[in-house]
C-alpha cells in the first residue's frame, strides 16, 4: 500500500494552506481533491456548459458548483482544485477581536466559545494576506474611479453615518506587487511558478468572480498556495474523493478513496497524518460516516452549524443614479456595523442583465433571480434544463443598470446540527433563533435603499441561502466542547486534523475564508514545529539530554510524581535561542490522572526570559491523557528571581503546577482541574547529574557549553555584579 507523511483531503482554504506549509517544511504531501482543475479560460459560460457545471457524480456531473438544499436552508459551495476560492468574491477580512467570544450563551442552551484569540491569529492573517496578494479595490486610480456601485455604497454609507471601507481583495489589479494597476495587463508569475501554465491577465472588471475567473485575475488558491505547494513537491491529485478513515495500529491512518470520471473501485493509501479539509459539509460528512471506525469522537460532532448570518437582498430601480452592478469585481466595498455584521454590494455577470431585463416584463427582479435559483436547484434534482430557460429569458432594458444585489452577513446563532439520515447529510436548523439579527440587518439595507431611491426586495421564501456554511466539527478546549482542539487536532486521535470551515465554533462575522486559512496556518505551525526539531536532529546531530524526577502534591493532598527526559536536538540552537526550548518525554503518575500516564508531547524552557533582566522562568508543558483517555495538560513554572544566593536552591527546585482540561498550547485558556507544588530532592538532583548524555560530534564540548550557560544564567540572576564567570 502507498504510504505518505501527510494526506490532505480537499483543496479549499484550509487544505491549500496546510498543503503548502507542510510541503515547504519537508513533509511528503498528497492532496486529494474530488473536483477537477480549472485553468483560466476553462470556466463554463455558455448555457450548455452552465447546465453541466454542477457536482453530482452519480448523475455524471463533475462541475464546479455543489448545491445543497436542506429543509430551511439552501447553500452553495464549490468542487474543484482550489475549493471555494474558484467561485468566491475575493474578500479577505479579519474577524474582529471582540467577536472571538468566550462562553457566550446560546438561546437554546450551551454556549459559543472560541479557543483562539485575534492576537493568536494575527501573524497567520498576515501570512495569508501576503500569499493571496490582498489589496483594496484601486478606486483612487483613473480606470476605476467611476465604478458606480462602489460610489453608490460609499455615498449611502456617508449619508447614514455608517463605517464604509474598501476591504482587501485577493485580486490582481496590477501585473505584480507594487506596480501600477491597469486593466487586462499580463500578470508576472510568482517565483514558485504557475500551476496551469497559461497566461493570466489583470482584472477587467467583468463581475464574473462567482462563476470562475477566465482571465486568471483572481489570486485563487490554485494560482497561489497550491502552485507553491507543488513547487515544494506536493502531489496534487484531482478527481480523487476520500471516503473512509481507519486509524492504524501504532499510529497514522488508512484512507480509502475513489477516482472519478470514470469512477474506479475503492483504493487505499496510508499516512502518518491526515488533514481533513473537505469543507463544512465534506469534513462533517466524512467524520459522521466514519464514526464507527473512530470510537470516542466528541459528541459535539455535527453541532455549531451556522450560515454566518448570510442574507441576500436586492435594491431595485435606483432613481438617483445608474448602478451598473455588472461592472467591477463582484464585491468592492463593505460597510461594517458595530454589532459584528457587514453589508457588501454584490455584482453579477453581464449575462444576468439579460435575465433581469426579460423578467422585468410584468415580473419583479427578485423573482427573476429566485426563478434562476429555483431552476438551479431543479437541475440538481434533474427536473429542469437551464439552457432552454436561459435562452427564453434573454432580453434588453433598463432594470439591471439600476439594481444592486446586497449581501449581509454577521453573527447568527450557531445552533444548527448536521447529522446523517441513511447516507445523506441533513441539517436541523432554521432562522428562528436569529430572527432579531436578520430583522435589524434588513432594516439597515432598506435604509441604504431609501438613500439611493431604490425599492427593497429579498427572498420570497423564509429560507436562508448561505455561501458561508460553518461548523460541524468545531474546535474547543476539550472533547465536551469541540471535536478538535484550537490547532485542529481531533481529540483522541493524534495526527488527525480538521483544517476548514467545519472547525469554526460559531459565525466568523465577515466573509470567513481568511479566518479559515489563518486557523489552518496556525495548525501547520504545530505540525512543522515537530518536523523542524526532527530535521535539526538529523542534520546537526549534537544533541544533549538529561533525566529528572520531581514529586509533590496536587490540591494539597494527592501525590504526584513525574520523570522527564529533557532533550535538545541541537545544543547550539538551544543555547542561542532566547526561549531555550527543549523536548520533554517520560511519564506522570498521579491518582487524579488515573495512575502512571505517558507524556504524549512535552515542552521545557530552561531560563526563558522573565519580566525583568534578573528574572528567568523554567517552564514545563506536558500533554497526556488521563485514565479515561481525556486529554490533560500539566503546566509547571519555576521562578528564578534575583535575591540572596541562599534562595537559589528553593527557586530552582520548586515547581508551581497546574493541571488543566484539554491539550492546551501556550496562550490557551482551559479549565483548571488541580493546582499544587512539586519539588526535586537533593538526592534526586545528584542522580540527575549522572544522566547527562550527548550524541553527535563534540559531545564533551557541548556539555561544557551547556554547563557554562547554566552557571552563567544563575550568576546573572543571583550574582552580585554584571560580569559572568569565565567561559560562559
Ligand atoms: C459565491 C460565493 C462567494 C463567496 N465569497 C467569499 C468572499 O468573498 N470571501 C470569503 O471569505 N468567503 C467567500 N465565500 C465563502 C468561501 O468560499 C468559503 O468560506 C471557503 O471556501 C471555505 O473554505 P474551506 O477550506 O472550509 O472549504 P472549501 O473551500 O469549500 O474546500 C473544500 C474542498 O474539499 C473538496 N472535497 C469535499 N469533499 C471531499 C472529499 N471527500 N475528498 C476530496 N475532496 C473533497 C471540495 O471539492 C472542495 O474543493 C464565498 C462562497 C461562495 C459560494
Ligand atoms: S471581475 Fe472578472 S476579471 Fe476581475 S477578478 Fe472578477 S472575474 Fe476576474
Amino acid at each position: 500500500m502507498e504510504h505518505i507523511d501527510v494526506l490532505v483531503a480537499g483543496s479549499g482554504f484550509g487544505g491549500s494552506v496546510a498543503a503548502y506549509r507542510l510541503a515547504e517544511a519537508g513533509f511528503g504531501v498528497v492532496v486529494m481533491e474530488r473536483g477537477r482543475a480549472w485553468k483560466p479560460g476553462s470556466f463554463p459560460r455558455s448555457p450548455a456548459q452552465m447546465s453541466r457545471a454542477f457536482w453530482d457524480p452519480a448523475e455524471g456531473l463533475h462541475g464546479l458548483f455543489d448545491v445543497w438544499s436542506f429543509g430551511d436552508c439552501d447553500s452553495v459551495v464549490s468542487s474543484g482544485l482550489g475549493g471555494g476560492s474558484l467561485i468566491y468574491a475575493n474578500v479577505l477580512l479579519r474577524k474582529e477581536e471582540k467577536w472571538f467570544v468566550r462562553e457566550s450563551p446560546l438561546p437554546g442552551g450551551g454556549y459559543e466559545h472560541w479557543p483562539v484569540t485575534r492576537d493568536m491569529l494575527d501573524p497567520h492573517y498576515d501570512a495569508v494576506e501576503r500569499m493571496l496578494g490582498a489589496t483594496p479595490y484601486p478606486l483612487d486610480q483613473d480606470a476605476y474611479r467611476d465604478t458606480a456601485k462602489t460610489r453608490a455604497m460609499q455615498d449611502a454609507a456617508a449619508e447614514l453615518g455608517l463605517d464604509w471601507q474598501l476591504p482587501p481583495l485577493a485580486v490582481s489589479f496590477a501585473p505584480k506587487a507594487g506596480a501600477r494597476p491597469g486593466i487586462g495587463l499580463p500578470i508576472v508569475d510568482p517565483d514558485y511558478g504557475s500551476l496551469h501554465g497559461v497566461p493570466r491577465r489583470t482584472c477587467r472588471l467583468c463581475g464574473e468572480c462567482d462563476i470562475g475567473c477566465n482571465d486568471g485575475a483572481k489570486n485563487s488558491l490554485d494560482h497561489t498556495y497550491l502552485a507553491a505547494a507543488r513547487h515544494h513537491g506536493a502531489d496534487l491529485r484531482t478527481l480523487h474523493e476520500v471516503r473512509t478513515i481507519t486509524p492504524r495500529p501504532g499510529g497514522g491512518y488508512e484512507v480509502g478513496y475513489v477516482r472519478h470520471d470514470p469512477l474506479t473501485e475503492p483504493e487505499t493509501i496510508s499516512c502518518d497524518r491526515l488533514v481533513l479539509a473537505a469543507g463544512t459539509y465534506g469534513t462533517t460528512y466524512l467524520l459522521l460516516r466514519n464514526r464507527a471506525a473512530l470510537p470516542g469522537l466528541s459528541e459535539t460532532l455535527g453541532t455549531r452549524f451556522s450560515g454566518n448570518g448570510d442574507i441576500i437582498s436586492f435594491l431595485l430601480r435606483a432613481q438617483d443614479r445608474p448602478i451598473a452592478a455588472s461592472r467591477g469585481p463582484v464585491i468592492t466595498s463593505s460597510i461594517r456595523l458595530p454589532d459584528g455584521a457587514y453589508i457588501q454590494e454584490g455584482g453579477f455577470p453581464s449575462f444576468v442583465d439579460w435575465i433581469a431585463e426579460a423578467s422585468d416584463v410584468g415580473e419583479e427582479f427578485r423573482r427573476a433571480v429566485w426563478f434562476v435559483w429555483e431552476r438551479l436547484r431543479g437541475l440538481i434534482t434533474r427536473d429542469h434544463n437551464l439552457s432552454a430557460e436561459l435562452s427564453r429569458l434573454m432580453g434588453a432594458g433598463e432594470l439591471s443598470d439600476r439594481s444592486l444585489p446586497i449581501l449581509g452577513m454577521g453573527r447568527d446563532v450557531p445552533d444548527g446540527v448536521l447529522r446523517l439520515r441513511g447516507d445523506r447529510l441533513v441539517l436541523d436548523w432554521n432562522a428562528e433563533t436569529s430572527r432579531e439579527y436578520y430583522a435589524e440587518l434588513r432594516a439597515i439595507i432598506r435604509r441604504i435603499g431609501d438613500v439611493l431611491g431604490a425599492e427593497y426586495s429579498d427572498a420570497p421564501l423564509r429560507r436562508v441561502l448561505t455561501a458561508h456554511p460553518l461548523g460541524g466539527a468545531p474546535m474547543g478546549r476539550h472533547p465536551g466542547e469541540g471535536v478538535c482542539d484550537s490547532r485542529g487536532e481531533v481529540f483522541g486521535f493524534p495526527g488527525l486534523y480538521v483544517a476548514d470551515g467545519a472547525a469554526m465554533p460559531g459565525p466568523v462575522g465577515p466573509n470567513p475564508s481568511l479566518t479559515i486559512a489563518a486557523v489552518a496556518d496556525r495548525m501547520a505551525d504545530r505540525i512543522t514545529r515537530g518536523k523542524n526539531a526532527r530535521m535539526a536532529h538529523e542534520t546537526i546531530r549534537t544533541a544533549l539530554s538529561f533525566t529528572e524526577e520531581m514529586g509533590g502534591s496536587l490540591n494539597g493532598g494527592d501525590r504526584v510524581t513525574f520523570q522527564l527526559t529533557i532533550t535538545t536536538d541541537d545544543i547550539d540552537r538551544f543555547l542561542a535561542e532566547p526561549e531555550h526550548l527543549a523536548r520533554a518525554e517520560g511519564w506522570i503518575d498521579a491518582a487524579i490522572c488515573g495512575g502512571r500516564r505517558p507524556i504524549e508531547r512535552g515542552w521545557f524552557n530552561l531560563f526563558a526570559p522573565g519580566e525583568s533582566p534578573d528574572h528567568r522562568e523554567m517552564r514545563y508543558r506536558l500533554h497526556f491523557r488521563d485514565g479515561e483517555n481525556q486529554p490533560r495538560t500539566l503546566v509547571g513554572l519555576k521562578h528564578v528571581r534575583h535575591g540572596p544566593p541562599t534562595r537559589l536552591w528553593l527557586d530552582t527546585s520548586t515547581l508551581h503546577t497546574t493541571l488543566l482540561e484539554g491539550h492546551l498550547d501556550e496562550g490557551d485558556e482551559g479549565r483548571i482541574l488541580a493546582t499544587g507544588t512539586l519539588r526535586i530532592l537533593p538526592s534526586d538532583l545528584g542522580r540527575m547529574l549522572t544522566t547527562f548524555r550527548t550524541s553527535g560530534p563534540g559531545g564533551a564540548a557541548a556539555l561544557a557549553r551547556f554547563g557554562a550557560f547554566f552557571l552563567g544564567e544563575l550568576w546573572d540572576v543571583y550574582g552580585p555584579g554584571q560580569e559572568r564567570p569565565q567561559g560562559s
Side-chain angles (χ1 to χ4, degrees), residues 133-353:
T135 183
Y137 186 62
L139 191 64
D140 58 341
Q141 305 280 315
D142 283 345
Y144 311 87
R145 211 182 291 282
D146 64 346
T147 312
K149 61 174 189 157
T150 316
R151 293 294 183 194
M153 289 295 277
Q154 185 181 24
D155 294 347
E159 178 138 355
L160 296 171
L162 298 173
D163 177 6
W164 176 90
Q165 61 159 304
L166 294 168
L169 302 179
V171 173
S172 291
F173 296 105
K176 61 177 183 182
R180 200 182 162 77
I183 290 175
L185 304 175
I187 295 174
V188 178
D189 280 339
D191 292 344
Y192 46 76
S194 156
L195 191 68
H196 302 293
V198 299
R200 299 171 59 204
R201 286 182 301 162
T202 56
C203 178
R204 63 182 172 90
L205 316 186
C206 67
E208 295 176 7
C209 315
D210 286 353
I211 52 172
C213 179
N214 269 334
D215 295 82
K218 285 175 63 164
N219 301 331
S220 47
L221 297 163
D222 48 341
H223 297 307
T224 52
Y225 274 102
L226 290 166
R230 195 182 65 173
H231 175 76
H232 288 289
D235 182 353
L236 312 178
R237 302 183 187 177
T238 51
L239 293 168
H240 280 58
E241 181 175 350
V242 168
R243 294 248 170 114
T244 59
I245 307 167
T246 317
R248 286 194 318 159
Y253 296 88
E254 230 171 77
V255 176
Y257 65 95
V258 294
R259 299 182 210 205
H260 287 292
D261 206 17
L263 188 67
T264 59
E265 286 300 313
E267 296 168 68
T268 313
I269 186 170
S270 64
C271 55
D272 295 335
R273 291 183 178 81
L274 173 60
V275 177
L276 298 179
T280 290
Y281 300 128
T283 289
T284 307
Y285 181 72
L286 272 172
L287 287 172
L288 285 167
R289 279 294 306 271
N290 288 282
R291 198 172 205 157
L294 302 168
L297 264 187
S298 164
E299 290 296 316
T300 64
L301 179 60
T303 66
R304 291 282 163 273
F305 177 90
S306 90
N308 204 41
D310 281 9
I311 58 173
I312 178 163
S313 317
F314 300 94
L315 301 181
L316 307 176
R317 302 184 187 87
Q319 282 165 14
D320 300 350
R321 53 169 97 207
I323 303 255
S326 58
R327 183 176 151 75
V330 163
I331 295 173
T332 59
S333 73
S334 182
I335 291 172
R336 180 182 145 273
L337 305 174
D339 58 358
Y342 292 76
I343 295 172
Q344 295 164 355
E345 98 281 358
F348 43 73
S350 42
F351 72 73
V352 173
D353 293 353

Side-chain angles (χ1 to χ4, degrees), residues 8 19 141 162 176 253 265 314 362 368 407 564 567 581 592 595 685:
V8 180
Q141 305 280 315
L162 298 173
K176 61 177 183 182
Y253 296 88
E265 286 300 313
F314 300 94
L407 314 164
L564 298 177
T567 307
L581 178 67
I592 187 175
L685 179 69

